[in-house]
mmCIF file of all heavy atoms in Angstrom:
data_model
loop_
_atom_site.group_PDB
_atom_site.id
_atom_site.type_symbol
_atom_site.label_atom_id
_atom_site.label_comp_id
_atom_site.label_asym_id
_atom_site.label_seq_id
_atom_site.Cartn_x
_atom_site.Cartn_y
_atom_site.Cartn_z
ATOM 1 N N ALA Z 769 -14.946 -11.173 -22.690
ATOM 2 C CA ALA Z 769 -14.159 -12.386 -23.053
ATOM 3 C C ALA Z 769 -12.751 -12.252 -22.747
ATOM 4 O O ALA Z 769 -12.049 -13.228 -22.261
ATOM 5 C CB ALA Z 769 -14.264 -12.490 -24.675
ATOM 6 N N LEU Z 770 -12.202 -11.014 -22.739
ATOM 7 C CA LEU Z 770 -10.800 -10.774 -22.364
ATOM 8 C C LEU Z 770 -10.678 -11.107 -20.931
ATOM 9 O O LEU Z 770 -9.683 -11.717 -20.493
ATOM 10 C CB LEU Z 770 -10.297 -9.328 -22.755
ATOM 11 C CG LEU Z 770 -8.994 -8.958 -22.306
ATOM 12 C CD1 LEU Z 770 -7.825 -10.002 -22.847
ATOM 13 C CD2 LEU Z 770 -8.511 -7.636 -22.616
ATOM 14 N N GLY Z 771 -11.548 -10.505 -20.205
ATOM 15 C CA GLY Z 771 -11.557 -10.814 -18.678
ATOM 16 C C GLY Z 771 -11.525 -12.253 -18.271
ATOM 17 O O GLY Z 771 -10.729 -12.756 -17.505
ATOM 18 N N LYS Z 772 -12.353 -12.997 -19.068
ATOM 19 C CA LYS Z 772 -12.474 -14.478 -18.808
ATOM 20 C C LYS Z 772 -11.192 -15.137 -19.184
ATOM 21 O O LYS Z 772 -10.685 -16.081 -18.440
ATOM 22 C CB LYS Z 772 -13.587 -15.109 -19.422
ATOM 23 C CG LYS Z 772 -14.914 -14.606 -18.778
ATOM 24 C CD LYS Z 772 -16.163 -15.128 -19.606
ATOM 25 C CE LYS Z 772 -17.432 -14.561 -18.930
ATOM 26 N NZ LYS Z 772 -18.584 -14.984 -19.627
ATOM 27 N N LYS Z 773 -10.542 -14.674 -20.386
ATOM 28 C CA LYS Z 773 -9.211 -15.253 -20.741
ATOM 29 C C LYS Z 773 -8.157 -14.980 -19.731
ATOM 30 O O LYS Z 773 -7.303 -15.921 -19.364
ATOM 31 C CB LYS Z 773 -8.905 -14.678 -22.189
ATOM 32 C CG LYS Z 773 -7.557 -15.131 -22.733
ATOM 33 C CD LYS Z 773 -7.308 -14.626 -24.074
ATOM 34 C CE LYS Z 773 -6.055 -15.024 -24.602
ATOM 35 N NZ LYS Z 773 -5.709 -14.399 -25.894
ATOM 36 N N LEU Z 774 -8.159 -13.732 -19.271
ATOM 37 C CA LEU Z 774 -7.119 -13.430 -18.186
ATOM 38 C C LEU Z 774 -7.329 -14.229 -16.823
ATOM 39 O O LEU Z 774 -6.322 -14.627 -16.311
ATOM 40 C CB LEU Z 774 -7.203 -11.952 -17.880
ATOM 41 C CG LEU Z 774 -6.791 -10.997 -19.025
ATOM 42 C CD1 LEU Z 774 -7.103 -9.576 -18.657
ATOM 43 C CD2 LEU Z 774 -5.379 -11.186 -19.316
ATOM 44 N N ILE Z 775 -8.635 -14.424 -16.492
ATOM 45 C CA ILE Z 775 -8.863 -15.176 -15.337
ATOM 46 C C ILE Z 775 -8.321 -16.618 -15.436
ATOM 47 O O ILE Z 775 -7.674 -17.286 -14.600
ATOM 48 C CB ILE Z 775 -10.371 -15.202 -14.933
ATOM 49 C CG1 ILE Z 775 -10.723 -13.828 -14.501
ATOM 50 C CG2 ILE Z 775 -10.685 -16.252 -13.915
ATOM 51 C CD1 ILE Z 775 -12.268 -13.579 -14.355
ATOM 52 N N LEU Z 776 -8.574 -17.214 -16.558
ATOM 53 C CA LEU Z 776 -8.148 -18.567 -16.828
ATOM 54 C C LEU Z 776 -6.670 -18.654 -16.918
ATOM 55 O O LEU Z 776 -6.032 -19.611 -16.381
ATOM 56 C CB LEU Z 776 -8.771 -19.112 -18.157
ATOM 57 C CG LEU Z 776 -10.191 -19.495 -18.066
ATOM 58 C CD1 LEU Z 776 -10.644 -19.812 -19.481
ATOM 59 C CD2 LEU Z 776 -10.577 -20.575 -17.140
ATOM 60 N N HIS Z 777 -6.029 -17.693 -17.556
ATOM 61 C CA HIS Z 777 -4.598 -17.679 -17.530
ATOM 62 C C HIS Z 777 -4.011 -17.536 -16.158
ATOM 63 O O HIS Z 777 -3.002 -18.243 -15.732
ATOM 64 C CB HIS Z 777 -4.003 -16.462 -18.363
ATOM 65 C CG HIS Z 777 -2.477 -16.325 -18.361
ATOM 66 N ND1 HIS Z 777 -1.757 -17.150 -19.010
ATOM 67 C CD2 HIS Z 777 -1.725 -15.478 -17.709
ATOM 68 C CE1 HIS Z 777 -0.458 -16.778 -18.777
ATOM 69 N NE2 HIS Z 777 -0.486 -15.680 -17.903
ATOM 70 N N ASN Z 778 -4.587 -16.627 -15.302
ATOM 71 C CA ASN Z 778 -4.061 -16.512 -13.951
ATOM 72 C C ASN Z 778 -4.254 -17.751 -13.168
ATOM 73 O O ASN Z 778 -3.475 -18.175 -12.246
ATOM 74 C CB ASN Z 778 -4.760 -15.338 -13.223
ATOM 75 C CG ASN Z 778 -4.235 -13.946 -13.786
ATOM 76 O OD1 ASN Z 778 -3.062 -13.910 -14.256
ATOM 77 N ND2 ASN Z 778 -5.061 -12.978 -13.760
ATOM 78 N N ALA Z 779 -5.320 -18.508 -13.431
ATOM 79 C CA ALA Z 779 -5.561 -19.702 -12.686
ATOM 80 C C ALA Z 779 -4.510 -20.852 -13.063
ATOM 81 O O ALA Z 779 -4.084 -21.508 -12.103
ATOM 82 C CB ALA Z 779 -7.003 -20.292 -13.022
ATOM 83 N N GLU Z 780 -4.160 -20.882 -14.369
ATOM 84 C CA GLU Z 780 -3.180 -21.742 -14.725
ATOM 85 C C GLU Z 780 -1.838 -21.383 -14.029
ATOM 86 O O GLU Z 780 -1.077 -22.247 -13.564
ATOM 87 C CB GLU Z 780 -2.895 -21.709 -16.274
ATOM 88 C CG GLU Z 780 -4.108 -22.311 -16.929
ATOM 89 C CD GLU Z 780 -4.131 -22.100 -18.480
ATOM 90 O OE1 GLU Z 780 -3.062 -21.431 -18.922
ATOM 91 O OE2 GLU Z 780 -4.991 -22.468 -19.172
ATOM 92 N N GLU Z 781 -1.478 -20.140 -14.011
ATOM 93 C CA GLU Z 781 -0.270 -19.643 -13.331
ATOM 94 C C GLU Z 781 -0.174 -19.943 -11.906
ATOM 95 O O GLU Z 781 0.750 -20.364 -11.223
ATOM 96 C CB GLU Z 781 -0.041 -18.105 -13.616
ATOM 97 C CG GLU Z 781 0.307 -17.812 -14.967
ATOM 98 C CD GLU Z 781 1.499 -18.489 -15.617
ATOM 99 O OE1 GLU Z 781 2.592 -18.439 -14.951
ATOM 100 O OE2 GLU Z 781 1.513 -19.110 -16.756
ATOM 101 N N THR Z 782 -1.400 -19.697 -11.234
ATOM 102 C CA THR Z 782 -1.539 -20.028 -9.750
ATOM 103 C C THR Z 782 -1.265 -21.451 -9.539
ATOM 104 O O THR Z 782 -0.569 -21.790 -8.462
ATOM 105 C CB THR Z 782 -2.962 -19.612 -9.286
ATOM 106 O OG1 THR Z 782 -3.160 -18.251 -9.600
ATOM 107 C CG2 THR Z 782 -3.184 -19.911 -7.830
ATOM 108 N N LEU Z 783 -1.746 -22.355 -10.265
ATOM 109 C CA LEU Z 783 -1.523 -23.739 -10.074
ATOM 110 C C LEU Z 783 -0.112 -24.224 -10.267
ATOM 111 O O LEU Z 783 0.277 -25.287 -9.750
ATOM 112 C CB LEU Z 783 -2.442 -24.632 -11.016
ATOM 113 C CG LEU Z 783 -3.890 -24.484 -10.716
ATOM 114 C CD1 LEU Z 783 -4.669 -25.192 -11.836
ATOM 115 C CD2 LEU Z 783 -4.345 -25.121 -9.379
ATOM 116 N N LYS Z 784 0.754 -23.367 -10.814
ATOM 117 C CA LYS Z 784 2.096 -23.683 -11.020
ATOM 118 C C LYS Z 784 2.983 -23.207 -9.871
ATOM 119 O O LYS Z 784 4.163 -23.458 -9.778
ATOM 120 C CB LYS Z 784 2.701 -22.987 -12.223
ATOM 121 C CG LYS Z 784 2.054 -23.634 -13.523
ATOM 122 C CD LYS Z 784 2.638 -22.750 -14.779
ATOM 123 C CE LYS Z 784 2.032 -23.092 -15.923
ATOM 124 N NZ LYS Z 784 2.447 -22.181 -17.065
ATOM 125 N N LEU Z 785 2.397 -22.458 -8.905
ATOM 126 C CA LEU Z 785 3.228 -21.727 -7.807
ATOM 127 C C LEU Z 785 3.762 -22.852 -6.897
ATOM 128 O O LEU Z 785 3.226 -23.882 -6.551
ATOM 129 C CB LEU Z 785 2.317 -20.853 -7.029
ATOM 130 C CG LEU Z 785 1.847 -19.572 -7.703
ATOM 131 C CD1 LEU Z 785 0.891 -18.812 -6.907
ATOM 132 C CD2 LEU Z 785 3.111 -18.718 -8.080
#
Side-chain angles (χ1 to χ4, degrees):
L770 176 59
K772 291 176 183 177
K773 182 178 177 181
L774 292 171
I775 289 169
L776 290 173
H777 173 76
N778 287 333
E780 290 171 3
E781 293 298 311
T782 299
L783 292 173
K784 295 178 190 174
L785 291 174

